[in-house]
Amino acid sequence: MNNQIFFFFYNLAYQSAFFDKLVIFIAVYFMYVVFLLAGLFLLFYYKISIKNLFKDLINRWREFVLVGSSVVISYVLFKILKILFHTDRPFIVFTQIHSLFFESGFAFPSGHATTFAALAFSIFFINKKAGYIFMVFALLIGLARIVAGVHFPIDILGGFILGAGIAYFVKFILKKFFNLQLS
């Protein structure tokens, strides 16, 4: 089933030059836009002013720690898991696959899916509506990486589960030990 879903999405590639460029943008470069939007969300959602920047940041430190720790821990864990699992990418497994861009290293779990799921879920714990938007961003990035031929669906799904779990764990720790109050 993993291969069938992969080929369903991968067969969308190489049909249109515009679509291929859009997939490459979402799979490779959109992450910078998402990180920027997440930073802006955290700064403006809590109305942090330049005048009182230090005081406002001190008052909202838990939310920044929730998002930042979730992303950093997800990065460390997916790196470790890639070393442990040694899962090949689709273009290695199937010689007929030509990815839209070069990607190296092992595939499982997807680092992009893990990181952006952790980011999306940590934002979800702060603000549900914004969290749903960031979940859509994470889903788009994951799907684009399947279409591009650099990940199997199981790599993306594993990354989403890992990222969501990390965000939940960080939220639990902050709530339990630092009395994190979320909206």
Side-chain angles (χ1 to χ4, degrees):
M1 182 176 233
N2 186 44
N3 292 346
Q4 292 170 325
I5 296 169
F6 168 76
F7 280 108
F8 172 81
F9 285 107
Y10 174 74
N11 287 332
L12 299 173
Y14 297 105
Q15 302 298 316
S16 157
F18 172 78
F19 183 73
D20 289 351
K21 288 178 184 176
L22 180 64
V23 167
I24 292 168
F25 172 78
I26 294 170
V28 178
Y29 304 107
F30 185 56
M31 65 182 216
Y32 301 109
V33 174
V34 174
F35 278 133
L36 177 65
L37 291 173
L40 291 172
F41 166 76
L42 288 172
L43 287 174
F44 292 110
Y45 179 70
Y46 291 108
K47 298 173 182 70
I48 293 176
S49 67
I50 301 299
K51 181 179 159 188
N52 296 321
L53 181 64
F54 186 71
K55 180 183 172 196
D56 290 345
L57 287 176
I58 294 294
N59 289 337
R60 305 303 336 163
W61 72 271
R62 291 173 186 90
E63 289 80 3
F64 286 95
V65 169
L66 172 63
V67 175
S69 296
S70 296
V71 169
V72 169
I73 292 169
S74 72
Y75 180 83
V76 171
L77 277 179
F78 86 69
K79 287 288 191 183
I80 291 169
L81 290 173
K82 280 180 183 277
I83 293 168
L84 294 175
F85 284 111
H86 288 131
T87 306
D88 287 329
R89 293 184 180 273
F91 56 83
I92 302 292
V93 175
F94 300 110
T95 56
Q96 74 270 26
I97 300 298
H98 301 286
S99 61
L100 291 176
F101 55 87
F102 178 74
E103 192 68 58
S104 63
F106 296 113
F108 184 84
S110 165
H112 286 79
T114 304
T115 301
F116 289 100
L119 178 73
F121 277 87
S122 61
I123 289 175
F124 176 80
F125 296 139
I126 296 168
N127 178 285
K128 304 251 186 283
K129 288 180 185 177
Y132 287 129
I133 292 168
F134 281 92
M135 285 179 198
V136 169
F137 293 161
L139 182 62
L140 284 173
I141 291 169
L143 288 175
R145 296 187 68 80
I146 297 170
V147 172
V150 297
H151 277 294
F152 285 110
I154 195 71
D155 304 333
I156 303 300
L157 180 62
F160 284 160
I161 292 169
L162 179 61
I166 290 166
Y168 182 79
F169 175 75
V170 171
K171 175 193 157 216
F172 173 79
I173 295 298
L174 287 172
K175 188 174 185 179
K176 181 87 172 166
F177 296 105
F178 297 102
N179 196 27
L180 175 67
Q181 300 300 321
L182 299 170
S183 58

